[in-house]
Amino acid sequence: MSKITVKLGLEKEYTVNIGTDILKNTGEIIGAIHSPCRVAFITDFTVGTYYTNTVVDSLKDSGFEVYIFAYPAGESSKNMETYEKILEFLADNQITRSDLIVELGGGVAGDLAGFAAATYMRGIDYVQIPTSLLAMVDSSVGGKTSIDLESGKNLCGAFWQPISVICSVDTLETLDKKFFDDGVAEIIKYGMLGNEKILKILHSCVENHDNLHFALKPFLEEIVEEAINTKISYVKDDVLDTGRRQYLNFGHTIGHAIEHASRYAIPHGHAVAVGMCSMAKAGEALGITEEGTANKIKALVRECGLPTSTIISPKDLYNSALSDKKRRGENINLVFPISFGKCEIKSVKIDELLNIITLGVK
Amino acid sequence: MSKITVKLGLEKEYTVNIGTDILKNTGEIIGAIHSPCRVAFITDFTVGTYYTNTVVDSLKDSGFEVYIFAYPAGESSKNMETYEKILEFLADNQITRSDLIVELGGGVAGDLAGFAAATYMRGIDYVQIPTSLLAMVDSSVGGKTSIDLESGKNLCGAFWQPISVICSVDTLETLDKKFFDDGVAEIIKYGMLGNEKILKILHSCVENHDNLHFALKPFLEEIVEEAINTKISYVKDDVLDTGRRQYLNFGHTIGHAIEHASRYAIPHGHAVAVGMCSMAKAGEALGITEEGTANKIKALVRECGLPTSTIISPKDLYNSALSDKKRRGENINLVFPISFGKCEIKSVKIDELLNIITLGVK
């Protein structure tokens, strides 16, 4: 098991534990940093079916008293209704400020249970057990928690750091291909933001194997660790997301717009994959991006089994993007690739956004 | 107009502006610290009727673009439903992270709009314009924002500091006696926590006048300033409410239980008044409180037009208190008066709480 210490700005530090078959040590890992207490264990019915017993037994063995809350899997649960149910569940089971939330699941579980932890009694401790590649590499660092509004994704939330993260990469084996690929899109992003090791592993896997899911298996611990370390380097001095952290938004402005305009029928990573390709294409047209970069990104994205374009119209994407919370007044910050493996932030006028989207997706 | 600088722990500092007839300067006050932007103005239909035009005109004159959201006055609006409506309103009107929420009203407006500000896009700036005595002296410092759950009051919330507070004490003139007295209870609390000036003003007012509301009028700016300074002294090194800040909970454990058990029919200050008297009585019975203190507190509370006892049974209060978020595991921290004008925190076992409540309210 490897351990990464996460120390972001003024926030309390915590450890991301990465290993294989380590869920059975959950109680021991948490017991080392928190005295026995009540634990609200929050998971979805789908992934919860596989791992709840292992985690709950381990917690009980270490002296924790466990209360279980489960909700239907999927982004459609990441709303005000489930959030309210979780809060009432916490109160009904007399969870106090000295107790703990432990969540197990993908990005939805982390965002939802994390936001409940951030706001129940104005904040209680929580532990993340991400079981999707996306959640391991993306949600485990940065403390972003959120729920969706009718008007848009992640429009409501808070910054709240976990006290520990447990990534047991064997849980990725029960993940559907679609969800696995979702995480691969974020991994490509960390490559594009400068992590050469990641690009090397991905290239070698897609060159030598038809099945990326299978080919990546021996590299999972390493790739999760690399992605997390890259994310930390972008987040550590910008916890509140006003500067350098915005690089992590590469592919996400158009990505979020695609998710929103498709009413979340297109999953996050797939949308981000299209977003990254589009920004490269638009960047080349605008003379920001080195020629040939768009083709290189597209080739990698395609070989990883992810889409490179969308059928949603530029106008619809533009309207969806207008509600994106990254927008500041009359300008919007966009991340363009400068070359393959290097990105830069450009502030552009809202008026220009439609043109950029059109250049990117047409 | 007097100004108090509030600098709590690592939080950004802000100014509380206290004066008479200063709502017409709202745009100027905010314009001095924030560039023109969209403003979501949040108020309730009752108090909003009196002051919305003055505030909105002033904001517009200073170049702000204003969108108005109003909700029915009262604690029953401080729930998940209104919170969600506010968030969707913000999104519908394309409020971004660089825009502003300005709330006008009593404690409900501050808690509700403050929690929306704390969580919309993971946090945007907001300005408080408290129009009740309670909100001026209690909610304007400390950054506590919250909504109620079915299971209890203020169980969901966040710490979020305003960028400015504007207390125009003339707004207290439109306040019902019941709500004014609510604030007086908190003022008494600040006296009991060591502010002798406050106790002196209150004593002189109740001795010389039948109508406290009227008698306090010339002292309002002074008393609001004194109360806020006392609150700052308790909060400044304990923003997250784990130590010294707990003194501010004097009268509140039983107070919250009374509110909860009465289904909020008994208003906050009235419940806290009973809570303070009860803690003095219980403290005397337990040998913690100097004899005669309970009678002194009761006399002042009664002369200020507030209740000193409750008809709710100790058992019902105990059950309501169990869901209070100040409870930590098997112990609860209670604030007892040691003498008139001096308090201390005692950690007691949950088992003893029923006995303490019984001693206090019987």
Side-chain angles (χ1 to χ4, degrees):
Chain A
M1 189 168 85
S2 60
K3 288 167 179 283
I4 300 176
T5 300
V6 185
K7 171 69 185 146
L8 307 176
L10 298 165
E11 304 285 346
K12 265 193 272 186
E13 76 173 37
Y14 64 91
T15 302
V16 180
N17 306 274
I18 304 165
T20 304
D21 198 21
I22 59 172
L23 291 189
K24 63 181 192 304
N25 308 327
T26 303
E28 201 183 309
I29 294 170
I30 299 178
I33 54 165
H34 200 287
S35 50
C37 63
R38 287 166 193 247
V39 167
F41 179 71
I42 300 177
T43 188
D44 69 58
F45 286 115
T46 307
V47 71
T49 306
Y50 294 105
Y51 307 112
T52 299
N53 283 350
T54 307
V55 172
V56 169
D57 287 352
S58 169
L59 283 165
K60 284 182 179 166
D61 285 349
S62 293
F64 293 94
E65 202 175 311
V66 186
Y67 300 82
I68 300 170
F69 180 94
Y71 58 87
E75 183 80 27
S76 61
S77 281
K78 212 178 95 177
N79 59 16
M80 203 55 83
E81 192 189 336
T82 319
Y83 168 61
E84 185 175 6
K85 277 186 191 157
I86 292 174
L87 294 171
E88 297 289 357
F89 168 84
L90 297 172
D92 287 347
N93 289 290
Q94 299 186 10
I95 300 294
T96 70
R97 280 188 188 161
S98 43
D99 294 323
L100 208 52
I101 288 176
V102 174
E103 64 83 2
L104 180 142
V108 170
D111 281 357
L112 185 58
F115 185 50
T119 54
Y120 179 66
M121 295 189 173
R122 300 197 189 93
I124 70 169
D125 286 341
Y126 83 118
V127 173
Q128 290 182 301
I129 308 182
T131 58
S132 77
L133 188 54
L134 187 58
M136 285 184 191
V137 302
D138 204 38
S139 317
S140 63
V141 173
K144 282 191 179 175
T145 70
S146 57
I147 55 175
D148 301 332
L149 297 184
E150 297 284 330
S151 322
K153 196 174 151 72
N154 296 325
L155 283 179
C156 172
F159 288 96
W160 197 247
Q161 312 298 328
I163 62 163
S164 185
V165 179
I166 302 169
C167 299
S168 195
V169 297
D170 53 292
T171 59
L172 301 179
E173 287 171 33
T174 51
L175 206 60
D176 280 351
K177 182 187 176 314
K178 186 177 82 173
F179 293 120
F180 186 81
D181 293 346
D182 243 9
V184 172
E186 293 288 336
I187 300 242
I188 294 173
K189 184 187 82 179
Y190 291 115
M192 287 300 299
L193 290 175
N195 190 314
E196 290 175 16
K197 218 182 216 174
I198 284 178
L199 292 176
K200 213 172 279 177
I201 294 173
L202 284 177
H203 272 304
S204 116
C205 286
V206 294
E207 272 165 25
N208 300 314
H209 292 274
D210 286 342
N211 184 332
L212 183 73
H213 197 151
F214 178 79
L216 270 177
K217 204 172 156 182
F219 302 102
L220 284 174
E221 285 191 39
E222 187 181 358
I223 217 161
V224 166
E225 204 175 327
E226 285 296 326
I228 288 175
N229 277 322
T230 305
K231 177 148 193 187
I232 291 171
S233 75
Y234 280 93
V235 172
K236 68 178 178 209
D237 299 317
D238 183 25
V239 180
L240 294 183
D241 198 4
T242 55
R244 185 170 154 77
R245 185 169 181 162
Q246 292 180 31
Y247 277 99
L248 299 174
N249 211 30
F250 176 47
H252 280 61
T253 301
I254 293 181
H256 282 159
I258 291 174
E259 288 183 271
H260 185 255
S262 76
R263 301 194 178 202
Y264 304 110
I266 298 172
H268 181 69
H270 292 61
V272 168
V274 176
M276 292 190 291
C277 295
S278 306
M279 291 311 290
K281 202 176 155 202
E284 284 191 25
L286 294 165
I288 295 169
T289 307
E290 197 179 290
E291 262 184 60
T293 307
N295 280 341
K296 278 193 203 166
I297 296 182
K298 272 191 192 173
L300 179 60
V301 164
R302 194 181 302 116
E303 281 166 355
C304 288
L306 288 158
T308 60
S309 62
T310 178
I311 54 167
I312 301 168
S313 78
K315 185 80 196 166
D316 286 350
L317 293 177
Y318 172 72
N319 287 331
S320 287
L322 282 189
S323 65
D324 190 286
K325 65 192 170 314
K326 297 298 184 301
R327 188 159 85 75
R328 284 157 201 277
E330 299 315 307
N331 289 297
I332 185 167
N333 285 334
L334 294 177
V335 186
F336 286 94
I338 297 307
S339 58
F340 192 75
K342 193 167 185 299
C343 290
E344 250 174 46
I345 295 173
K346 305 272 174 200
S347 174
V348 305
K349 292 219 182 314
I350 284 294
D351 306 344
E352 300 168 43
L353 185 59
L354 178 57
N355 180 42
I356 292 169
I357 292 174
T358 308
L359 290 172
V361 304
K362 271 287 180 192
Chain B
M1 187 168 86
S2 60
K3 288 168 179 284
I4 301 177
T5 300
V6 185
K7 172 67 187 147
L8 306 176
L10 299 166
E11 304 284 347
K12 266 193 274 186
E13 77 173 37
Y14 64 92
T15 302
V16 181
N17 306 275
I18 305 164
T20 305
D21 199 19
I22 59 172
L23 292 190
K24 63 181 191 304
N25 308 328
T26 303
E28 201 183 310
I29 294 170
I30 299 178
I33 53 164
H34 201 287
S35 50
C37 63
R38 287 166 192 247
V39 167
F41 179 72
I42 301 177
T43 187
D44 69 59
F45 287 115
T46 307
V47 72
T49 307
Y50 295 105
Y51 307 112
T52 299
N53 283 350
T54 308
V55 171
V56 169
D57 288 350
S58 168
L59 283 166
K60 284 182 178 166
D61 286 348
S62 293
F64 294 94
E65 201 176 312
V66 186
Y67 301 82
I68 300 171
F69 180 95
Y71 58 87
E75 182 80 27
S76 60
S77 282
K78 211 178 94 177
N79 58 18
M80 202 56 80
E81 192 189 335
T82 320
Y83 168 61
E84 186 176 5
K85 277 185 190 158
I86 292 175
L87 294 172
E88 296 289 357
F89 169 84
L90 298 172
D92 287 346
N93 289 290
Q94 299 186 12
I95 300 295
T96 69
R97 280 189 188 161
S98 44
D99 294 322
L100 208 53
I101 289 176
V102 174
E103 63 83 4
L104 180 143
V108 170
D111 282 356
L112 185 58
F115 185 50
T119 54
Y120 179 67
M121 296 190 172
R122 301 198 188 94
I124 70 170
D125 286 341
Y126 82 118
V127 173
Q128 290 182 299
I129 308 182
T131 58
S132 77
L133 187 55
L134 187 58
M136 286 183 191
V137 303
D138 205 36
S139 316
S140 64
V141 173
K144 281 190 180 177
T145 70
S146 57
I147 55 176
D148 301 332
L149 297 184
E150 297 285 330
S151 320
K153 197 175 149 71
N154 296 325
L155 282 180
C156 173
F159 288 95
W160 198 247
Q161 312 297 329
I163 62 162
S164 184
V165 179
I166 302 169
C167 299
S168 195
V169 298
D170 53 292
T171 60
L172 302 179
E173 286 170 33
T174 51
L175 205 60
D176 281 352
K177 182 187 176 312
K178 187 177 82 173
F179 294 119
F180 186 81
D181 293 346
D182 243 10
V184 172
E186 292 288 337
I187 302 244
I188 294 173
K189 185 187 82 177
Y190 291 114
M192 287 301 298
L193 290 176
N195 189 313
E196 289 177 15
K197 219 182 214 172
I198 283 178
L199 291 176
K200 215 172 275 174
I201 294 173
L202 284 177
H203 273 303
S204 116
C205 285
V206 296
E207 270 165 24
N208 300 315
H209 292 273
D210 286 341
N211 183 331
L212 183 71
H213 196 151
F214 178 79
L216 269 177
K217 204 173 156 180
F219 301 103
L220 282 175
E221 286 190 40
E222 186 181 358
I223 217 160
V224 166
E225 204 176 327
E226 285 296 327
I228 288 175
N229 277 321
T230 305
K231 177 148 193 189
I232 291 171
S233 75
Y234 280 92
V235 173
K236 69 177 175 207
D237 298 317
D238 183 24
V239 179
L240 294 183
D241 198 4
T242 54
R244 185 170 153 79
R245 186 168 181 163
Q246 292 180 31
Y247 276 100
L248 299 173
N249 211 31
F250 176 46
H252 280 60
T253 301
I254 293 180
H256 282 159
I258 291 172
E259 288 183 272
H260 185 254
S262 76
R263 302 194 177 202
Y264 304 111
I266 298 172
H268 182 69
H270 292 62
V272 167
V274 176
M276 293 190 289
C277 294
S278 305
M279 290 312 290
K281 203 176 153 202
E284 284 192 25
L286 294 165
I288 295 170
T289 308
E290 196 179 290
E291 262 186 59
T293 307
N295 280 341
K296 278 192 203 166
I297 296 181
K298 272 191 192 172
L300 179 60
V301 164
R302 194 181 301 115
E303 281 165 354
C304 288
L306 287 159
T308 60
S309 62
T310 178
I311 55 165
I312 301 168
S313 77
K315 185 79 195 165
D316 285 349
L317 293 177
Y318 172 73
N319 286 331
S320 287
L322 281 191
S323 65
D324 190 288
K325 67 190 167 311
K326 298 297 185 299
R327 187 159 86 75
R328 284 160 200 277
E330 300 314 307
N331 290 297
I332 186 167
N333 286 334
L334 294 177
V335 185
F336 286 94
I338 298 305
S339 58
F340 192 74
K342 193 168 185 300
C343 290
E344 250 174 46
I345 295 173
K346 305 272 176 199
S347 174
V348 304
K349 291 216 182 316
I350 285 292
D351 305 344
E352 299 168 43
L353 184 60
L354 178 57
N355 180 41
I356 292 168
I357 292 175
T358 308
L359 290 173
V361 303
K362 269 288 179 190

